[in-house]
Amino acid sequence: MKTQFLVLALALFAGPVMAQLPDAEEVPPGAMAPSDVDFMHTADAANFDQMTIGNRVASRTKNSGIRSLAENVVSSHKKADDALRLLAGVKHVDLDHHMTERGQAEADEIVRRDVNAERMYVDGLLRDSDELIALYEAARQDSPDPDIRTYADTMLPALRDHRRQAQDLLARAGEGDGD
């Protein structure tokens, strides 16, 4: 019954992301591999970082390309966050839903008037995308839990798309990152 409720809740709240995920298998509290718990905590913090920073940039920038990228990042990470929260419930993993120190520092920098917030955002997003892609690829490949592997595999296309969009913005500005 709990799994059926979870599937219904996932479908209603997480939309297209969860439509790609099969029924999650509930595990007893404390049964998750430590590496999977670490992954879930890291992904949770990254989602919160990206949503906060993206919202700040989107509300501040006049550049339509940057705004579009930030809105896309926020939307993707909101869906990922919704799916991860529901998955964490089935796996009995408590998520903190707090920003990282680095994320908080970047979010604070973005609102300063004496910085190039758009360039800072794109550069940070490229760095974060590389780190997140590596994290999610490792989870997809190495996790002993099939639900974690599926979650990671489902999120990877959005992470790669964010990176591509950021690279495209730099290339249009004549500042490609060489990749």
Side-chain angles (χ1 to χ4, degrees):
M1 178 70 173
K2 185 175 183 178
T3 302
Q4 290 173 337
F5 172 75
L6 174 70
V7 171
L8 177 61
L10 292 174
L12 291 174
F13 294 113
V17 169
M18 289 314 298
Q20 297 175 37
L21 296 176
D23 295 346
E25 184 176 326
E26 184 172 5
V27 299
M32 291 291 294
S35 60
D36 284 342
V37 173
D38 289 344
F39 167 76
M40 293 176 83
H41 283 279
T42 302
D44 175 54
N47 286 333
F48 200 71
D49 285 355
Q50 294 301 317
M51 288 185 296
T52 301
I53 294 168
N55 278 325
R56 288 186 182 179
V57 168
S59 68
R60 176 182 171 171
T61 188
K62 295 184 185 333
N63 181 312
S64 62
I66 299 289
R67 182 177 304 105
S68 177
L69 173 61
E71 289 171 350
N72 185 21
V73 168
V74 170
S75 175
S76 295
H77 282 279
K78 175 66 175 135
K79 290 173 187 170
D81 180 61
D82 291 344
L84 184 63
R85 283 175 176 237
L86 292 168
L87 185 59
V90 173
K91 302 299 181 178
H92 298 281
V93 173
D94 293 325
L95 300 177
D96 298 327
H97 208 60
H98 294 289
M99 293 183 77
T100 63
E101 286 183 31
R102 182 173 83 181
Q104 184 63 57
E106 288 179 20
D108 292 344
E109 281 289 304
I110 290 290
V111 296
R112 288 183 38 199
R113 297 289 177 207
D114 62 334
V115 298
N116 181 344
E118 287 93 357
R119 179 59 192 246
M120 182 185 301
Y121 177 65
V122 173
D123 288 343
L125 184 60
L126 284 170
R127 180 203 60 234
D128 294 347
S129 293
D130 288 342
E131 292 172 3
L132 289 172
I133 289 167
L135 175 74
Y136 276 68
E137 284 176 342
R140 179 187 64 190
Q141 185 172 355
D142 300 332
S143 173
D145 188 288
D147 297 324
I148 297 295
R149 291 192 308 267
T150 300
Y151 171 81
D153 191 52
T154 302
M155 298 303 130
L156 274 165
L159 296 172
R160 289 183 181 121
D161 188 53
H162 300 159
R163 186 177 201 303
R164 182 198 51 77
Q165 287 179 327
Q167 284 178 309
D168 289 350
L169 283 170
L170 288 178
R172 281 195 296 270
E175 303 172 23
D177 70 349
D179 287 333

